[in-house]
Amino acid sequence: MIPIQHYLLVAALLFCIGLAIVVTKRHFIGILLGIELMLNAVNINLVAFGRHDPERLTGQLFALFVIVVAAAEVTVALAIILRVYGRYKTVDPDEVSDLKQ
């Protein structure tokens, strides 16, 4: 059995990589990918802690809920990105100066 520290280390590394991507990327798609990496790190933590209580499936259920929320978030975010690109012809968040039409 793999100790929980290994899961937590991988999740922390994945979360830090996602956070670095969110902070440094200049495109909406890159920022969205960083957020997805951070949500996957949360899922790893939930499943890792869920393994230590095999009688309850709370960790796995919360991970499933996070996956559903992430799918909805990606759908809404991509719709917003397509709308912003259609109006401003760019996906650079710094070049989008106003949100009024």
Side-chain angles (χ1 to χ4, degrees):
M1 187 168 165
I2 300 172
I4 195 166
Q5 291 86 5
H6 293 156
Y7 290 110
L8 297 179
L9 183 65
V10 168
L13 182 65
L14 194 62
F15 190 86
C16 290
I17 291 170
L19 184 63
I21 289 172
V22 167
V23 171
T24 60
K25 287 294 179 183
R26 294 182 119 335
H27 292 92
F28 288 119
I29 302 295
I31 293 169
L32 188 60
L33 289 173
I35 292 171
E36 290 298 319
L37 280 176
M38 291 191 295
L39 289 173
N40 284 329
V42 170
N43 281 339
I44 290 172
N45 281 334
L46 288 171
V47 172
F49 285 121
R51 279 189 70 191
H52 289 286
D53 192 9
E55 296 170 2
R56 301 170 116 188
L57 296 175
T58 54
Q60 287 83 357
L61 289 176
F62 277 123
L64 184 63
F65 181 71
V66 170
I67 291 170
V68 169
V69 169
E73 175 251 341
V74 166
T75 304
V76 171
L78 285 176
I80 292 170
I81 290 168
L82 288 174
R83 182 72 176 149
V84 167
Y85 181 76
R87 173 143 173 87
Y88 295 102
K89 302 297 185 219
T90 184
V91 290
D92 187 3
D94 292 333
E95 292 184 18
V96 178
S97 59
D98 61 331
L99 294 178
K100 295 180 182 178
Q101 285 191 347

